[in-house]
Amino acid sequence: MPIFGFDLRQLGCVIICWTELIVDAGNLGKMGAVLVTGALGQIGSALVPTLVRAFGPDAVIASDIRHPTSAFDHTIPYELLDCTDQDQVLDVVQRRNIGTIYHLAAILSAVGEDKPQAAWHVNMAGLAHILEAARLYDCAVFFPSSIAAFGPGTPRDGTPQVTIQRPNTIYGITKVTGEMLCDYYHARFGTNARGLRLPGVLSYSAPPGGGTTDYAVDIFHGAVRGARYTSYLKPDTRLPMMYMPDAVRAMCELMAAQGSRLVHRNAYNVAAMNFTPSELAAAIKMYVPDFVIDYKIDPARQAIAESWPRSLDDSAARREWDWQPGFDLDAMVSDMLAHLPLTNP
Ligand code: NAD
Ligand code: AKB
């Protein structure tokens, strides 16, 4: 994006606007384009437009294993890319002159328990190929870990940054292994890999992709369609959550942060809010008075939720790169409901 003869990425001072939040997203890596894998998913659908606003449509390459749907903005360069195919990954990174990779492609927790071998393959082979491409072509890498990287032996309230990590889901095992693989590439090869342990992420624009926290998105669609929702988690199941604008901003801010400040660079706890299905239903009822929630428990997803933190200590992120969430429960509910009637007339 040349302006007055300079490329803003060179200056490290690109400004991103997202729902009135301003982010400095500079220092993303060496010069080069930004590749997003898994770009058609819930987070990619929000991240790609934000990156395009920062860097321009020619500097952001969206990719996924699927052909783009009609909702995809076809002005953005697109690659059909299976991240488990090393040759494809190396080809795209070299041919598109990639400098930064946001590696979002993955299989999430609930689908992962149905297909554990596929989850291991996509999540681990995919990350290994991305890190190898980053080593060979000197790219920065963003890796989204998850609250799933913790397990039943972890303290569940105010889960510390450094604590026991013995997850009992295949998804969680791939996330903690992914954190360690990023640590290894950074220590052994100097790869600029950075990561967040994201809570359940909520958004109105794209459906979630088969996780345990999906209820907290689905409930809004139930609320605007028929003022009803049947929760598959028990009413008192507390989980950490984050609204999509905060999640995208956290990803961009971490990638922009000064490397010398990052002690826990590959796996920061980040927190914004935590709630139970019954608390979320009560918050929605403030805006949709007729709203009714009932419960039909899915034992598989309930067991996963009960192995995860109820709340996170994100003081390392606050200290090392000035993380601050923007949305609490009420602000998130109000914003979700303000947008959903437009997408579900
Ligand atoms: P999603 O399921 O919505 O999207 C994942 C995308 O990856 C899909 O579009 C899918 O087609 C693609 N994909 C699957 N296999 C692929 C392959 N072999 N090659 C290329 N693409 C492939 O997931 P999301 O919610 O957007 O999550 C993105 C990342 O963030 C994942 O790594 C996930 O684990 C992590 N994360 C998400 C949340 C959340 O609440 N959404 C929370 C914590 C961490
Ligand atoms: C899931 O529920 O699998 C994801 C996550 C918290 O990683 N949303």
Side-chain angles (χ1 to χ4, degrees):
M1 192 196 314
I3 294 183
F4 305 125
F6 295 101
D7 187 301
L8 288 181
R9 279 168 294 160
Q10 240 167 346
L11 297 175
C13 62
V14 176
I15 304 298
I16 291 176
C17 297
W18 172 281
T19 13
E20 297 161 19
L21 295 169
I22 306 295
V23 178
D24 175 348
N27 301 326
L28 279 174
K30 70 162 195 202
M31 280 288 297
V34 181
L35 174 67
V36 181
T37 71
L40 300 180
Q42 190 202 10
I43 295 181
S45 303
L47 177 66
V48 167
T50 305
L51 293 172
V52 166
R53 277 197 293 279
F55 301 123
D58 297 336
V60 179
I61 317 297
S63 74
D64 203 292
I65 198 169
R66 295 182 277 148
H67 286 282
T69 58
S70 55
F72 183 75
D73 177 351
H74 290 274
T75 62
I76 301 164
Y78 187 83
E79 292 278 352
L80 202 59
L81 173 60
D82 176 354
C83 68
T84 67
D85 183 325
Q86 182 159 31
D87 292 341
Q88 281 184 31
V89 171
L90 292 175
D91 170 58
V92 169
V93 169
Q94 185 198 28
R95 186 164 41 78
R96 292 287 195 169
N97 186 29
I98 299 300
T100 300
I101 306 169
Y102 284 81
H103 178 49
L104 305 183
I107 291 182
L108 275 67
S109 60
V111 174
E113 286 313 292
D114 282 343
K115 303 176 188 168
Q117 294 81 5
W120 175 261
H121 182 57
V122 170
N123 296 6
M124 292 321 307
L127 178 62
H129 298 333
I130 292 295
L131 286 169
E132 206 33 30
R135 179 180 77 82
L136 292 170
Y137 295 102
D138 189 22
C139 307
V141 174
F142 174 79
F143 170 64
S145 186
S146 162
I147 52 171
F150 301 111
T154 305
R156 290 184 69 202
D157 297 304
T159 299
Q161 172 67 40
V162 179
T163 184
I164 299 162
Q165 287 185 265
R166 300 283 291 180
N168 60 359
T169 61
I170 191 68
Y171 175 66
I173 292 167
T174 66
K175 288 302 182 187
V176 75
T177 312
E179 291 179 4
M180 292 168 70
L181 197 57
C182 289
D183 280 345
Y184 180 77
Y185 266 74
H186 176 64
R188 178 84 167 76
F189 306 117
T191 304
N192 184 9
R194 302 178 180 194
L196 300 174
R197 291 181 188 134
L198 289 168
V201 179
L202 317 179
S203 64
Y204 54 82
S205 52
T212 302
T213 58
D214 294 9
Y215 91 86
V217 175
D218 300 341
I219 193 172
F220 285 94
H221 294 276
V224 298
R225 282 195 190 126
R228 278 204 91 80
Y229 180 69
T230 301
S231 170
Y232 55 77
L233 293 183
K234 292 180 186 170
D236 60 348
T237 310
R238 183 172 302 282
L239 287 167
M241 301 279 183
M242 183 175 285
Y243 198 31
M244 185 64 85
D246 276 347
V248 167
R249 187 169 55 81
M251 292 162 65
C252 294
E253 286 184 357
L254 174 63
M255 294 308 281
Q258 220 181 335
S260 57
R261 290 182 66 195
L262 303 181
V263 179
H264 303 89
R265 54 184 302 130
N266 293 323
Y268 284 97
N269 286 4
V270 277
M273 63 187 96
N274 58 79
F275 51 75
T276 66
S278 80
E279 288 169 358
L280 179 57
I284 291 173
K285 220 170 151 56
M286 301 289 283
Y287 297 86
V288 185
D290 296 342
F291 182 65
V292 175
I293 187 166
D294 58 13
Y295 298 90
K296 185 167 178 239
I297 308 311
D298 169 5
R301 282 181 286 188
Q302 183 66 38
I304 295 174
E306 285 176 10
S307 76
W308 287 357
R310 286 185 281 252
S311 63
L312 298 173
D313 171 4
D314 64 354
S315 52
R318 290 172 189 255
R319 197 170 53 243
E320 294 174 25
W321 48 279
D322 308 316
W323 161 245
Q324 282 284 342
F327 285 83
D328 62 11
L329 173 60
D330 189 55
M332 178 274 290
V333 169
S334 154
D335 201 65
M336 283 286 283
L337 290 171
H339 285 91
L340 272 177
L342 299 175
T343 56
N344 296 292

